[in-house]
Amino acid sequence: MPVAASAIYFLNLRGDVLINRLYRDDVGGNMVDAFRTHIMQTKDLGTCPVRQIGGCSFFYMRISNVYIVIVVSSNANVACAFKFVVEAVALFKSYFGGAFDEDAIRNNFVLIYELLDEIMDFGYPQNLSPEILKLYITQEGVRSPFSSKPTDRPVPNATLQVTGAVGWRREGLHYKKNEVFLDIVESVNLLMSSKGSVLRCDVTGKILMKCFLSGMPDLKLGLNDKIGLEKESQLKSRPTKSGKTIELDDVTFHQCVNLTRFNSEKTVSFVPPDGEFELMKYRITEGVNLPFKVLPTIKELGRTRMEVNVKVKSVFGAKMFALGVVVKIPVPKQTAKTNFTVTSGRAKYNASIDCLVWKIRKFPGQTEPTLSAEVELISTMTEKKSWTRPPIQMEFQVPMFTASGLRVRFLKVWEKSGYNTVEWVRYITKAGSYEVRC
Amino acid sequence: MAPPPQSQRSPSPSQPSGKGEVSDLKSQLRQLAGSRAPGVDDSKRELFKKVISYMTIGIDVSPLFGEMVMCSAASDIVLKKMCYLYVGNYARVNPDLALLTINFLQRDCKDEDPMIRGLALRSLCSLRVANLVEYLVGPLGSGLKDSNSYVRMVAVVGVLKLYHISASTCVDADFPATLKHLMLNDPDAQVVANCLSTLQEIWTLEASTSEEVAREREILLSKPVVYYLLNRIKEFSEWAQCLVLELAAKYVPSDNNEIFDIMNLLEDRLQHANGAVVLATTKVFLQLTLSMADVHQQVYERIKAPLLTLVSSGSPEQSYAVLSHLHLLVMRAPYVFSTDYKHFYCQYNEPSYVKKLKLEMLTAVANESNTYEIDDLLGSITVTELCEYAANVDIPIARESIRAVGKIALQQYDVNAIVDRLLQFLEMEKDYVTAEALVLVKDLLRKYPQWSQDCIAVVGNISSKNVQEPKAKAALIWMLGEYSQDMHDAPYVLESLVENWDEEHSAEVRLHLLTAVMKCFFKRPPETQKALGAALAAGLADFHQDVHDRALFYYRLLQYNVSVAEHVVNPPKQAVSVFADTQSSEIKDRIFDEFNSLSVIYQKPSYMFTDKEHRGPFEFSDELGNLSISAESVDTVVPAQSVEANDKDLLLSTAEKDDGRDPASNGSAYSAPFYDGSSGPAATSQSHGELAVSNTSVSGQTPASSLAIDDLLGLSFPGEVTATPTPPPLKLNPKAILDPGTFQQKWRQLPISSSQECSLSPQGVASLAAPNTLLRHMQGHSIHCIASGGQSPNFKYFFFAQKAEEASTFLVECIINTASAKSQIKIKADDQSSTQAFSTLFQTALSKFGLP
C-alpha cells in the first residue's frame, strides 16, 4: 500500500487543530491528542519526522507556523507521504496566492476542505495538479464549469482532462504576448576544513520556468552539458564546439518532460504547464566555481582575549557583484566586548547566536574586504573546557553567475499557430550551506 | 423534501460554549431554507461556513442536521460540498438522521452534472453507516458504468469504502470482478490506478478466507496484468506510478530478457522529479536483479546518483525518507559508495536525525574491507572528520561520532592512531565525551587486550566521581575489576564506590560493581576483602532483582568453593574477535524486501510494528500495547519507548551469543538495559526462602498479595504488617502529568508496595459499560488514567497520581472483573511510606464510583 493515509491534520504551534480530515476509520479520532502528548510536548519534537505511537505512525512536517501531520496505520510509503504533503502545500499556496500559514488556513478552510476531498480519497492520493483542479475548484467557489450550461458543453472532454494523460495543461489557453521566463537558480554547498582544503563541495541547481504561452506549445531546451552536446554533435556529425561543457551528475525533470526522448536524444523537450513550475533539478560535484574564498585566522590570546581576522575574497568576474552577503563568525558564549574594523560593509556582535555578523550589501567581484576584531571574554573560574569552534557560515546571492558554469544555449518553442515568443533567461547563485571551519 | 420533525433529534452533549451560537444558527438556517430571494445562496454560504468552522474547532453542531439538509437542496455546488462535508462528519453519530440525507444524495447521484454525480457518490459512500449499505449498491453500480471518468474514479474508491463497511455486501454485489474488468479496460489512468489499489486492498484482506480470492490476487502479479500496467505507466499520475511500480517489484519474471526489458522500460523513471517514484523504481530494479549478482551491482551504481540528488534536495523530512533508504543500501553494499563518502559529511545546521544517519553511513563506508590502500586512507579521513563532530555542540551527535570512531577502531587493524584519538577524547574533559570514550575504551580492550597498558594509564587518571553516566561508570568499573592488578588504587576506588552503594541509582552499575569487586578480590585479596564483604551485604539487601540475585550467587559460590568461584569470575579470557552484528541477516533481508516503506525508516521488518503481538518483547509492553491511551482511542497506542526497548532487546540477545564466556561483564557496551538473565540461572529459582530475610529495607507492604510477581521480587511479607508512622494526610496534584514512557520505566523498576482486592458497587459495574465514565470519575479524585483496555468481564486500567507538593508518583494497575464486581489493585510508589494513605484514597474513590 503506497500511502493509504488514515488522517491528515493541520495544527498550529500550540497544537490546536486548524483543519483535519479523517479518511479512514482505522485510527481513532483522538490521534491528534496522541501526537500532542507524545511528540509536541516532549523533547522529541524535531528529533525525527517519522514516529510510531502504538500501531500508528505519524509523519509530520512543519511549514511556517503549521504542523502537517499524516497518520497511517499500515506500513506506508514514507517518501510518497512527504512528497504528498509538499505537493499539497504547493497546491494550497497556488490557491491562496503565496503564503501558507495559520491565518491562510483559517481564512480558507472551506476551500481546503474541498481540496482535501479531491486530492486524496480514502487515503489514496488522487490528482494534485493545480492546473486541473482549478478547473473545477475555484477560489471564488463558483459553480463547476459543467454545471453552468451542461447541455452545450462537451462534458466528457472536460473531465477527461481532469484525470487524463496531459494532466498538467489545459487546452484553449490564450495570451496576447507569448513569453517564457527561465530562472537558473543554483545553491552552492561547501564544507572547507580549517586548513583550507575543500572537504565537500557541490551544487544543486534548478531551472524554474514561468510560461505564458498560448495553445499547446512544444518546447526544447538546450544546455551546455557535456552529454547533450556530445549527442548533438554525434547526430549532426560535426565536432563539438569548443567552450566549457558541464558534467551533470544527475538530473530530474518535471513530469512534463519526455523522459524517453531525453534518454535517447539527450534533449529536454516538453509541453509546459501554464504558469510557474520547476522544470528540472540537477546536481554537480565536479568543476564547481566557488564564488567566495574565506580566509579566517582566529587566535586565542590567553583566557580573556581573542583576535579574529577574516578575509573574504570574491572570485567571480570584476563586473559582477554579489548581493546580501552575510558572514557569520562564531565567538565563544562568554564574549563580553567586541571591537572591530571592516574594510567594507557593517559588522555587529549578535549575542543570541554567539556570532559576529558581518553584512555587505553589495560585494563586487575580485575584491577582498577584511574584518578584524578583538574579542574580550568574561573570565570564569570554572570554565576550563576549551571552546569548540563552530564553522563560519556565509550567505550570498550572485546574480548572473552560475557556480556550475551552466548556460542555456537555446530554448525553442513550436506551436501550430506559429506565434513568436519572447524568452527571458536569468541566472543566480545562492549559498546553500557554505561553511568554513576555523 | 419535507422538513424533519424537531422532536426526532437526539439530544447531544454539545459544548456549552457553542450552545448559544448553535441555536442562533439554527433559526437563521430555518429562515433561509424556504427563501428564494436573490442572493440567498450567498447568505447560506456564509452560514454554512460558520457551521463548518464550528465543526472544525470541535463544537458539536449536529443539532443543525435537519436544517442543513433542508438548505442544501440548492443547486449551488459549493453549498452542496459544505453540506456533504457536514453530513459525512455527523452521519456516523446520528445514523437516524443520516437516513434523511440518503434521499437527496441518491438524487444527486443522478444529476446531469458529472461533478455533482461524483461528489454525491463520494459522500454517499463516506457516510460509513452500516445499516445504510443497501442504498449504496445501486448508485455504486451505475457509478462504475458512468460515462464520465471522474464519476468512475470516485465509484471505484467507493467500492473500497463499501467493503470496509460491509465486506459481504461488496462481495455479493460482485464488485471486485467489475473492478478487475474496469482495471484492464478503462481508458482513464486514474480509474485504473484506483481499481488497482482497491483490488489490492480487498483481495489482501479476503485472501485469508478464500483460496479463490488468493488466486485472484496472484493474477494481479501475472505477466499480462503487470505488462499492461507498465506499458501505460507514463499515463499515470506520479502517485499511481508508485502504485504500479510497487506491484512490478513483486513480479517474478520468467527469464533474464524479461528483466532487462522491464528495466529498460523503467530506466527513465529514475529521472522523475518525484522522489517516491524514484524510490519505487529503485525497488523494482533491486528486486528484479536479486538473482543476478553482477547486474545487481550495476543497479547500485545506476541508482546511486539519483538517490544522492534526492537527498540533497527537498525538505529535510523528504531527504530523511530518502536518506534512510540510502542508509539501507550503504549498509548492504558500502564498497559501492566508497567514492561518495563526502556526501555523508554532516553540515552544521542539519537536523540531528539526518546527521545520525550520515554518521552511520560514513562509518560503514570507512569500515569496508582493508584490501585496498584507499580504504585505509578513507578510514583515517573519516576518523578525522568524525573527530570534528566529537567537538560538536550538538551533544547527541557528538556522542554518535565517538561511537562511530569506536566502530571503526574495532574493525580496522591500524588501531594505533585511533587509540591516540580516544585518549585525546578522554582528555577533552567534557562529561559526555569522557563517558562515551570510556565505553569505547572498554570495548577496545576486550578486542585488543594488548593495548591495556596505554589505556589503563589514562583511564587510571579519571576520577570515578567525575563520571556520572551509568554506562560510562559501568565501563570504568569493569576496567577497574578487569585490570585491578595494573591499576594501583583499584581496590580503594572500588571500596569507596561500595561505600556509596545506596547513592548509586543504576542497577547496571551496581551489577558491575559486584563483579568488579569479586574480580579484584581474587587478584588482590587482602586489599579487597573489606570491600567485598560490604558489597555482598549491600547487594543482598538490594531491592533490584538482578543485583540481589547476583550478590546471592557470588555469596554462595564463595561459600561453596573459593577456587571454583575464582574460575567462574576470572576465567582465562579470549579477546573478542568480532562483535555481534546488531541485526540478523534474516531481519535485514526482510527489511530489504520491504524497501520503500516504513520498515526502512524504523529499521525493522513490518511485522514488528504492525502486528500487535510483536510490538514489544516484554509482557508489560504487550499489556500496554493492547490497551489504549486514555481509553478513548479505538486503536492501540504504545509508548514509543517500548519500541526502542524492543530494538535494544534484539541487540542484546544477539550480543549475548558472543560473550557467553563472560556473562557478568558484558552488556554495558550496548545500549541495552540490564534485564537479561545473565546473573546466573542458578540463583533465581531457589532463593525465595531467604529473600524475605534480606529485605528489610522496604516497608509498608500489605499482606494480601497472592501474586507471583511479588514472590519473585521478594517483597511480600506474609503475616507481617509493618507499623509505619502515620503519614500526613495525602494530597494529590489534580494536574499531574506523566508520559507513558516514564510510566512504563517506573513500573518496571519499582517494587509493588501494595496489592489488594476491593469490591465495586453494582451501579459502578453497570456504568463501566460506558467507556470513559470511570476515567472521568477517577480524574475527579486527581487520579489519572494512562492506559486502559480489556474485554468483558475483565477490564484493566493503569492509573497514576502525583503528590500535590512534591514530584512523587503513584502507579496503579487495576483489574476489574465485572462479573464478580471485584477489583484487584496493585500499587507502586516512589515514596513507599505514603502508599498506605494513597491506597485508602484510591479504594474510597473506586468504591464511590457509580454512586450518585
Side-chain angles (χ1 to χ4, degrees):
Chain A
M1 266 177 247
V3 173
S6 301
I8 183 164
Y9 290 95
F10 294 78
L11 310 175
N12 66 10
L13 296 184
R14 285 191 303 160
D16 302 332
V17 179
L18 300 173
I19 277 197
N20 68 329
R21 189 80 180 82
L22 295 176
Y23 288 107
R24 289 183 170 227
D25 289 339
D26 52 359
V27 297
N30 68 333
M31 276 299 120
V32 68
D33 298 334
F35 178 76
R36 271 198 291 254
T37 46
H38 295 287
I39 299 175
M40 285 191 90
Q41 291 167 4
T42 61
K43 282 186 300 221
D44 294 341
L45 187 67
T47 52
C48 184
V50 182
R51 282 290 304 277
Q52 190 193 11
I53 301 171
C56 295
S57 296
F58 291 76
F59 308 154
Y60 63 98
M61 242 176 152
R62 182 176 161 178
I63 292 172
S64 76
N65 54 359
V66 177
Y67 281 107
I68 302 174
V69 187
I70 284 195
V71 188
V72 299
S73 63
S74 54
N75 187 16
N77 181 335
V78 188
C80 204
F82 279 129
K83 181 71 182 173
F84 176 82
V85 173
V86 170
E87 295 275 304
V89 169
L91 175 69
F92 296 153
K93 276 185 185 163
S94 79
Y95 269 96
F96 315 153
F100 175 85
D101 52 23
E102 193 179 339
D103 291 337
I105 292 180
R106 286 198 195 278
N107 295 336
N108 293 283
F109 69 94
V110 172
L111 179 68
I112 297 183
Y113 271 127
E114 273 184 66
L115 288 171
L116 285 178
D117 252 356
E118 291 298 330
I119 59 178
M120 187 171 259
D121 200 0
F122 210 51
Y124 290 108
Q126 305 285 313
N127 198 332
L128 263 86
S129 159
E131 284 311 302
I132 299 308
L133 283 169
K134 274 178 183 162
L135 275 180
Y136 56 99
I137 299 181
T138 61
Q139 201 151 17
E140 293 304 305
V142 222
R143 273 144 258 248
S144 85
F146 330 115
S147 64
S148 51
K149 276 187 186 173
T151 37
D152 15 291
R153 225 66 191 243
V155 169
N157 192 14
T159 32
L160 223 183
Q161 275 195 6
V162 172
T163 56
V166 187
W168 56 86
R169 192 180 178 88
R170 66 195 141 109
E171 279 178 47
L173 289 166
H174 182 76
Y175 291 96
K176 257 187 208 154
K177 198 174 171 190
N178 289 294
E179 284 180 303
V180 188
F181 297 87
L182 268 181
D183 274 314
I184 288 94
V185 182
E186 296 196 335
S187 55
V188 205
N189 301 311
L190 170 76
L191 184 60
M192 199 178 260
S193 78
S194 49
K195 294 180 189 101
S197 59
V198 175
L199 292 175
R200 184 195 161 183
C201 177
D202 60 66
V203 171
T204 51
K206 48 190 171 186
I207 301 187
L208 302 174
M209 204 163 195
K210 240 187 255 178
C211 268
F212 303 108
L213 295 172
S214 314
M216 277 288 187
D218 241 316
L219 273 69
K220 199 168 151 185
L221 176 73
L223 302 167
N224 61 339
D225 69 298
K226 200 173 166 191
I227 305 168
L229 285 174
E230 273 168 11
K231 194 78 187 183
E232 197 173 301
S233 58
Q234 226 174 55
L235 290 172
K236 294 179 182 164
S237 64
R238 61 163 186 235
T240 324
K241 276 182 243 159
S242 57
K244 199 182 175 195
T245 59
I246 308 296
E247 213 174 323
L248 300 173
D249 279 23
D250 185 53
V251 206
T252 59
F253 295 105
H254 184 269
Q255 55 168 338
C256 69
V257 175
N258 186 333
L259 295 173
T260 326
R261 252 173 95 185
F262 176 77
N263 278 333
S264 58
E265 297 165 29
K266 301 292 169 199
T267 53
V268 183
S269 55
F270 53 99
V271 179
D274 193 40
E276 205 176 331
F277 69 102
E278 186 182 290
L279 176 67
M280 63 183 269
K281 267 198 293 231
Y282 55 90
R283 188 169 52 83
I284 293 168
T285 46
E286 297 298 320
V288 177
N289 311 314
L290 292 173
F292 290 101
K293 289 218 164 89
V294 182
L295 309 161
T297 40
I298 296 182
K299 278 187 221 152
E300 287 175 56
L301 307 168
R303 289 177 39 166
T304 55
R305 241 160 49 82
M306 260 175 61
E307 215 176 74
V308 179
N309 274 296
V310 180
K311 186 192 279 180
V312 180
K313 222 172 169 177
S314 56
V315 280
F316 44 86
K319 283 180 190 161
M320 290 190 278
F321 51 84
L323 296 173
V325 178
V326 180
V327 188
K328 290 183 191 158
I329 304 146
V331 289
K333 257 194 165 29
Q334 66 271 29
T335 299
K337 203 174 151 196
T338 51
N339 281 316
F340 30 63
T341 46
V342 285
T343 57
S344 166
R346 280 174 177 190
K348 65 176 181 197
Y349 166 59
N350 184 336
S352 64
I353 50 170
D354 296 319
C355 278
L356 298 177
V357 181
W358 177 21
K359 288 184 183 166
I360 303 165
R361 203 167 292 161
K362 198 167 171 183
F363 196 135
Q366 304 296 341
T367 52
E368 36 178 272
T370 53
L371 171 145
S372 38
E374 231 174 67
V375 180
E376 281 178 35
L377 308 176
I378 301 165
S379 63
T380 44
M381 295 306 290
T382 49
E383 199 62 55
K384 57 178 177 179
K385 292 163 189 166
S386 65
W387 173 51
T388 58
R389 295 178 178 180
I392 292 179
Q393 294 178 303
M394 249 190 111
E395 291 163 23
F396 53 79
Q397 295 189 357
V398 192
M400 301 317 288
F401 172 84
T402 50
S404 62
L406 192 79
R407 284 276 177 273
V408 172
R409 288 168 48 242
F410 58 82
L411 176 69
K412 291 175 186 159
V413 182
W414 284 279
E415 219 278 332
K416 48 181 187 284
S417 63
Y419 53 72
N420 286 323
T421 53
V422 189
E423 295 108 26
W424 306 88
V425 183
R426 284 194 298 189
Y427 301 91
I428 192 162
T429 294
K430 295 179 182 171
S433 123
Y434 211 80
E435 297 177 353
V436 178
R437 290 179 182 158
C438 53
Chain B
M1 186 171 39
Q6 288 293 310
S7 54
Q8 273 190 7
R9 205 168 303 116
S10 53
S12 50
S14 82
Q15 290 183 7
S17 62
K19 219 163 197 169
E21 287 92 329
V22 170
S23 57
D24 265 7
L25 279 174
K26 184 186 266 187
S27 60
Q28 289 179 33
L29 276 172
R30 212 175 293 161
Q31 271 173 15
L32 288 178
S35 161
R36 290 192 189 283
V40 70
D41 276 2
D42 288 335
S43 28
K44 274 189 193 171
R45 241 191 234 174
E46 284 309 309
L47 277 180
F48 271 40
K49 263 191 193 171
K50 250 184 218 165
V51 174
I52 304 279
S53 71
Y54 283 161
M55 184 179 97
T56 307
I57 56 176
I59 295 176
D60 185 3
V61 284
S62 61
L64 302 175
F65 210 99
E67 284 76 12
M68 289 291 283
V69 172
M70 249 154 57
C71 282
S72 57
S75 61
D76 186 73
I77 196 160
V78 178
L79 269 186
K80 271 193 196 301
K81 277 188 189 169
M82 285 198 265
C83 186
Y84 293 154
L85 182 72
Y86 173 85
V87 168
N89 214 2
Y90 285 112
R92 233 176 331 156
V93 263
N94 294 330
D96 297 344
L97 290 172
L99 196 61
L100 292 174
T101 60
I102 291 280
N103 197 358
F104 89 85
L105 283 176
Q106 272 188 326
R107 201 187 50 217
D108 283 353
C109 283
K110 294 184 188 111
D111 199 280
E112 56 191 359
D113 182 346
M115 274 315 286
I116 296 193
R117 288 205 299 275
L119 287 170
L121 190 59
R122 182 184 293 153
S123 311
L124 194 61
C125 299
S126 304
L127 292 180
R128 294 179 258 195
V129 179
N131 56 10
L132 298 182
V133 284
E134 49 186 310
Y135 300 102
L136 292 183
V137 179
L140 268 181
S142 44
L144 288 173
K145 290 191 208 84
D146 202 287
S147 63
N148 191 291
S149 54
Y150 180 76
V151 184
R152 291 202 301 276
M153 176 180 107
V154 172
V156 172
V157 182
V159 170
L160 183 58
K161 292 176 188 166
L162 173 64
Y163 179 82
H164 280 278
I165 307 167
S166 164
S168 57
T169 319
C170 179
V171 176
D172 290 346
D174 214 18
F175 280 138
T178 320
L179 289 192
K180 190 177 151 198
H181 177 79
L182 211 55
M183 182 177 76
L184 296 176
N185 295 291
D186 201 280
D188 187 278
Q190 191 61 46
V191 175
V192 173
N194 285 358
C195 284
L196 178 61
S197 47
T198 303
L199 282 178
Q200 274 184 329
E201 209 177 317
I202 293 182
W203 281 342
T204 309
L205 291 167
E206 284 281 290
S208 52
T209 55
S210 144
E211 261 184 47
E212 200 187 329
V213 177
R215 268 200 302 281
E216 286 277 15
R217 192 168 64 139
E218 292 304 306
I219 290 179
L220 278 182
L221 288 173
S222 66
K223 186 167 170 177
V225 175
V226 172
Y227 272 45
Y228 167 77
L229 292 170
L230 283 180
N231 281 327
R232 292 185 65 176
I233 194 145
K234 291 185 182 105
E235 298 170 31
F236 289 108
S237 73
E238 41 199 325
W239 320 105
Q241 288 188 12
C242 296
L243 201 68
V244 172
L245 289 169
E246 193 68 40
L247 182 79
K250 295 196 194 105
Y251 173 64
V252 186
S254 56
D255 58 32
N256 289 358
N257 288 337
E258 240 188 293
I259 294 176
F260 290 119
D261 282 350
I262 295 177
M263 295 205 330
N264 283 329
L265 182 74
L266 295 180
E267 169 115 33
D268 56 14
R269 293 298 111 194
L270 290 173
Q271 245 106 40
H272 203 287
N274 186 328
V277 173
V278 177
L279 276 181
T281 314
T282 306
K283 178 172 184 179
V284 176
F285 279 32
L286 289 172
Q287 292 291 346
L288 287 180
T289 55
L290 270 181
S291 56
M292 303 186 280
D294 47 336
V295 187
H296 198 65
Q297 288 314 313
Q298 288 170 23
V299 168
Y300 275 101
E301 295 286 352
R302 175 66 187 86
I303 60 182
K304 202 164 75 172
L307 290 180
L308 288 171
T309 305
L310 281 175
V311 167
S312 60
S313 60
S315 65
E317 289 86 359
Q318 281 173 291
S319 50
Y320 172 68
V322 179
L323 207 58
S324 304
H325 288 85
L326 197 62
H327 179 263
L328 176 74
L329 298 179
V330 171
M331 294 303 160
R332 279 180 85 86
Y335 43 90
V336 177
F337 296 87
S338 55
T339 50
D340 302 287
Y341 64 93
K342 283 186 180 178
H343 286 280
F344 308 137
Y345 281 5
C346 298
Q347 275 167 28
Y348 188 66
N349 284 337
E350 273 171 332
S352 56
Y353 51 84
V354 168
K355 280 185 183 163
K356 186 164 182 274
L357 284 177
K358 282 191 169 178
L359 273 179
E360 282 175 21
M361 289 195 273
L362 200 54
T363 319
V365 172
N367 258 344
E368 196 39 44
S369 75
N370 295 323
T371 4
Y372 304 104
E373 256 175 51
I374 174 110
D375 286 320
D376 269 345
L377 184 67
L378 182 58
S380 68
I381 292 172
T382 314
V383 170
T384 313
E385 182 67 18
L386 287 170
C387 293
E388 286 278 347
Y389 304 145
N392 204 309
V393 270
D394 187 349
I395 293 175
I397 291 303
R399 286 174 182 275
E400 285 291 337
S401 36
I402 298 170
R403 272 176 229 155
V405 173
K407 273 189 204 153
I408 296 178
L410 290 176
Q411 291 198 11
Q412 294 219 333
Y413 298 113
D414 176 31
V415 198
N416 205 343
I418 294 179
V419 170
D420 281 350
R421 292 275 190 187
L422 278 178
L423 300 180
Q424 277 171 24
F425 284 152
L426 286 176
E427 284 156 4
M428 271 170 76
E429 297 193 14
K430 288 195 178 193
D431 308 347
Y432 58 91
V433 175
T434 314
E436 291 296 337
L438 272 177
V439 174
L440 216 59
V441 169
K442 184 209 65 182
D443 280 347
L444 211 61
L445 287 178
R446 287 168 67 200
K447 186 167 179 182
Y448 309 104
Q450 66 271 27
W451 290 99
S452 62
Q453 293 298 335
D454 302 68
C455 294
I456 291 307
V458 181
V459 171
N461 292 333
I462 296 172
S463 161
S464 64
K465 289 190 187 76
N466 294 343
V467 183
Q468 289 308 325
E469 281 174 48
K471 269 185 206 328
K473 208 164 183 179
L476 182 64
I477 292 173
W478 181 82
M479 284 185 271
L480 284 170
E482 194 65 33
Y483 297 97
S484 45
Q485 72 278 20
D486 307 324
M487 290 163 99
H488 178 67
D489 52 357
Y492 310 104
V493 177
L494 288 172
E495 193 173 328
S496 71
L497 283 167
V498 171
E499 275 166 21
N500 294 324
W501 184 276
D502 290 336
E503 282 150 42
E504 186 49 65
H505 296 292
S506 158
E508 184 184 347
V509 174
R510 298 200 298 272
L511 281 169
H512 274 275
L513 192 53
L514 269 177
T515 310
V517 175
M518 279 290 277
K519 283 182 188 162
C520 188
F521 173 71
F522 289 113
K523 283 170 186 157
R524 298 161 75 169
E527 288 159 291
T528 324
Q529 199 174 11
K530 191 175 152 220
L532 181 64
L536 286 179
L540 285 171
D542 202 283
F543 71 83
H544 192 277
Q545 171 89 54
D546 287 341
V547 179
H548 173 80
D549 283 357
R550 190 179 288 187
L552 199 64
F553 171 64
Y554 285 152
Y555 176 69
R556 292 200 173 143
L557 204 58
L558 288 168
Q559 225 175 13
Y560 171 71
N561 184 333
V562 178
S563 66
V564 170
E566 177 166 18
H567 195 70
V568 169
V569 177
N570 269 349
K573 285 192 189 65
Q574 271 177 355
V576 180
S577 54
V578 183
F579 281 87
D581 214 338
T582 51
Q583 272 177 340
S584 73
S585 62
E586 188 206 354
I587 283 180
K588 281 182 184 164
D589 283 346
R590 282 187 93 137
I591 297 174
F592 186 67
D593 282 343
E594 290 169 352
F595 194 83
N596 201 14
S597 74
L598 274 173
S599 314
V600 180
I601 307 277
Y602 293 150
Q603 299 184 7
K604 60 180 107 167
S606 61
Y607 71 85
M608 284 197 188
F609 57 90
T610 49
D611 294 2
K612 282 182 183 142
E613 61 267 31
H614 284 103
R615 254 180 243 154
F618 310 112
E619 205 192 335
F620 181 77
S621 341
D622 262 352
E623 263 171 18
L624 263 189
N626 292 330
L627 304 176
S628 62
I629 285 295
S630 308
E632 286 160 46
S633 84
V634 182
D635 213 82
T636 55
V637 178
V638 187
Q641 180 139 2
S642 77
V643 175
E644 282 157 36
N646 180 357
D647 225 20
K648 288 169 183 165
D649 186 57
L650 243 173
L651 222 124
L652 187 73
S653 59
T654 41
E656 205 75 332
K657 288 173 198 152
D658 234 45
D659 282 9
R661 298 192 61 122
D662 183 18
S665 62
N666 84 357
S668 58
Y670 308 93
S671 51
F674 224 104
Y675 28 63
D676 55 3
S678 61
S679 50
T684 25
S685 56
Q686 19 155 303
S687 52
H688 299 307
E690 288 173 35
L691 283 174
V693 185
S694 58
N695 240 312
T696 42
S697 62
V698 188
S699 62
Q701 294 92 349
T702 42
S705 160
S706 59
L707 287 142
I709 183 141
D710 297 346
D711 289 352
L712 264 169
L713 284 173
L715 295 166
S716 69
F717 281 33
E720 178 198 326
V721 184
T722 15
T724 41
T726 345
L730 185 67
K731 269 199 186 145
L732 296 177
N733 177 7
K735 287 183 190 129
I737 310 166
L738 191 69
D739 73 62
T742 325
F743 182 93
Q744 204 178 344
Q745 209 183 343
K746 284 199 171 198
W747 187 262
R748 212 181 284 135
Q749 284 167 355
L750 291 170
I752 292 184
S753 40
S754 159
S755 171
Q756 348 209 301
E757 249 188 21
C758 82
S759 50
L760 244 68
S761 65
Q763 296 96 316
V765 172
S767 36
L768 258 186
N772 292 329
T773 44
L774 176 65
L775 310 189
R776 258 179 248 129
H777 171 79
M778 295 307 276
Q779 204 149 12
H781 294 264
S782 305
I783 297 166
H784 307 267
C785 181
I786 194 149
S788 66
Q791 271 180 336
S792 185
N794 281 309
F795 292 92
K796 194 170 209 170
Y797 297 90
F798 285 94
F799 291 100
F800 70 90
Q802 259 168 16
K803 278 197 197 171
E805 305 88 356
E806 46 181 299
S808 162
T809 41
F810 299 96
L811 314 178
V812 188
E813 183 200 42
C814 172
I815 303 168
I816 298 182
N817 186 309
T818 46
S820 63
K822 286 251 161 41
S823 62
Q824 280 188 348
I825 304 163
K826 277 186 228 166
I827 299 173
K828 301 189 178 187
D830 281 341
D831 175 6
Q832 307 279 352
S833 59
S834 47
T835 313
Q836 209 50 55
F838 176 74
S839 165
T840 325
L841 203 147
F842 186 85
Q843 286 184 44
T844 329
L846 193 63
S847 61
K848 280 189 202 146
F849 176 56
L851 298 176

